[in-house]
């Protein structure tokens, strides 16, 4: 039996001991983590802030410092948080230390979980296939925006809960997951099947989408709206996301 719960934004404390937590930060941390691992980086170490990143760097001197604040690369870091910066030539075989405003915070909230995975639209179906083999409690954790609700993460989370409910056997949704499923479907309206053409306008109109557009990251929004480009499901092992 699979039980699915959805947190539309991060709670102060996440009750996740022994559970499987799926972290979603469509714009852009999840999309960047999935893209970077698919492009060959060895591992991604999520940390809370720039200070923690510098401290982790002393343990992993060869690792790249990566991350954003207010959408822009942190001063003195090697890479920001645009998935386009994570090309194989720059990151293949390397370990990355990553801090972002919402995505890595959400990942660290799940420290007590039995398993922590990363989902986005880029690896959507791969995540569903993976979760079908999971038994027990699944928490879909939307990273949100500054600990508040974000449309893009709730859309992805609601659709993930809905698709898993339709495709997996013995699946039970909590009220929050049921709500998220219906809200996501009504946002799509008649726009089916799911595709980048359907997802992109919704990401573009979201609060964070508008901010990224103002910062000239329109191509990032389009990349993060692409569906099922990668078959990888990042998993946290000893504090590092690997595939
Ligand atoms: C976040 O974690 O808040 C986002 O990924 C920020 C961004 O990339 O703009």
């Amino acid at each position: 039996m699979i039980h699915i719960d959805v947190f539309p934004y991060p709670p102060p404390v996440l009750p996740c001991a022994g559970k499987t937590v799926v972290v979603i930060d469509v714009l852009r941390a999840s999309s960047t983590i999935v893209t970077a691992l698919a492009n060959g980086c060895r591992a991604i170490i999520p940390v809370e802030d720039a200070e923690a990143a510098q401290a982790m760097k002393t343990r992993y001197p060869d690792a790249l410092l990566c991350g954003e604040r207010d959408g822009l690369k942190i001063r003195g870091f090697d890479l920001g948080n645009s998935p386009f910066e994570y090309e194989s030539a720059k990151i293949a075989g390397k370990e990355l230390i990553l801090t972002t405003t919402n995505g890595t915070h959400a990942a660290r909230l799940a420290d007590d979980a039995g398993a922590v995975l990363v989902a986005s639209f880029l690896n959507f179906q791969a995540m569903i296939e993976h979760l079908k083999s999971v038994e027990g409690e699944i928490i879909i954790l939307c990273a949100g925006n500054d600990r508040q609700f974000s449309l893009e993460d709730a859309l992805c989370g609601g659709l993930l809960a809905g698709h898993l409910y339709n495709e997996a056997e013995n699946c039970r949704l909590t009220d929050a997951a049921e709500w998220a499923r219906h809200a996501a479907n009504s946002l799509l309206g008649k726009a089916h099947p799911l595709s980048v053409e359907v997802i992109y306008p919704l990401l573009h109109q979201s609060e964070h989408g508008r901010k990224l557009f103002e910062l000239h990251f329109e191509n990032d929004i389009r990349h993060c709206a692409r569906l099922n480009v990668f078959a990888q499901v990042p998993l946290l092992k000893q504090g590092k996301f690997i595939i």
Side-chain angles (χ1 to χ4, degrees):
M1 169 64 84
I2 301 178
H3 283 267
I4 304 174
D5 195 2
V6 173
F7 281 75
Y9 51 87
V13 176
L14 186 71
C16 60
K19 302 181 182 179
T20 296
V21 175
V22 180
V23 174
I24 296 179
D25 185 5
V26 172
L27 295 176
R28 297 167 287 178
S30 285
S31 305
T32 296
I33 290 170
V34 170
T35 303
L37 287 164
N39 287 348
C41 81
R42 195 143 48 88
I44 298 176
I45 308 168
V47 294
E48 195 67 42
D49 54 32
E51 213 181 326
Q54 295 291 2
M56 194 62 82
K57 176 82 172 171
T58 60
R59 284 177 55 192
Y60 302 94
D62 301 332
L64 298 181
L65 282 175
C66 310
E68 61 68 46
R69 283 300 179 270
D70 298 317
L72 301 173
K73 186 172 78 149
I74 296 169
R75 186 191 296 274
F77 273 37
D78 302 298
L79 300 173
N81 199 33
S82 166
F84 289 99
E85 294 176 79
Y86 293 79
E87 50 209 58
S88 301
K90 279 195 201 139
I91 62 166
K94 293 214 167 93
E95 291 191 313
L96 314 178
I97 299 167
L98 179 68
T99 179
T100 70
T101 311
N102 302 293
T104 55
H105 169 73
R108 297 314 307 259
L109 261 183
D111 274 354
D112 297 341
V116 184
L117 310 170
V118 174
S120 64
F121 286 114
L122 295 163
N123 65 337
F124 189 80
Q125 193 60 37
M127 182 57 73
I128 290 170
E129 298 311 324
H130 180 92
L131 292 175
K132 283 182 194 171
S133 64
V134 168
E135 275 299 318
E137 311 266 337
I138 296 173
I139 291 176
I140 296 174
L141 174 61
C142 300
N145 233 354
D146 299 330
R147 320 300 180 256
Q148 306 292 316
F149 182 93
S150 74
L151 182 147
E152 67 274 11
D153 295 344
L155 173 67
C156 188
L159 290 171
L160 196 62
H163 280 243
L164 189 56
Y165 182 71
N166 295 339
E167 296 181 27
E169 275 150 38
N170 281 337
C171 191
R172 180 86 42 81
L173 300 179
T174 61
D175 288 356
E178 190 66 43
W179 179 267
R181 177 168 83 106
H182 286 292
N185 284 331
S186 67
L187 198 57
L188 289 183
K190 295 197 173 33
H192 286 282
L194 200 53
S195 68
V196 62
E197 283 75 27
V198 170
I199 298 166
Y200 174 70
L202 293 167
L203 297 196
H204 197 286
Q205 75 185 46
S206 72
E207 283 173 47
H208 197 52
R210 292 201 300 273
K211 180 174 172 188
L212 289 172
F213 184 76
E214 280 151 24
L215 292 170
H216 311 296
F217 286 121
E218 184 173 350
N219 291 339
D220 288 19
I221 304 169
R222 190 169 291 281
H223 175 74
C224 297
R226 295 170 65 205
L227 193 63
N228 301 331
V229 176
F230 301 119
Q232 288 81 5
V233 171
L235 167 69
L236 197 67
K237 268 250 176 330
Q238 288 142 3
K240 302 178 181 181
F241 282 117
I242 58 169
I243 49 175

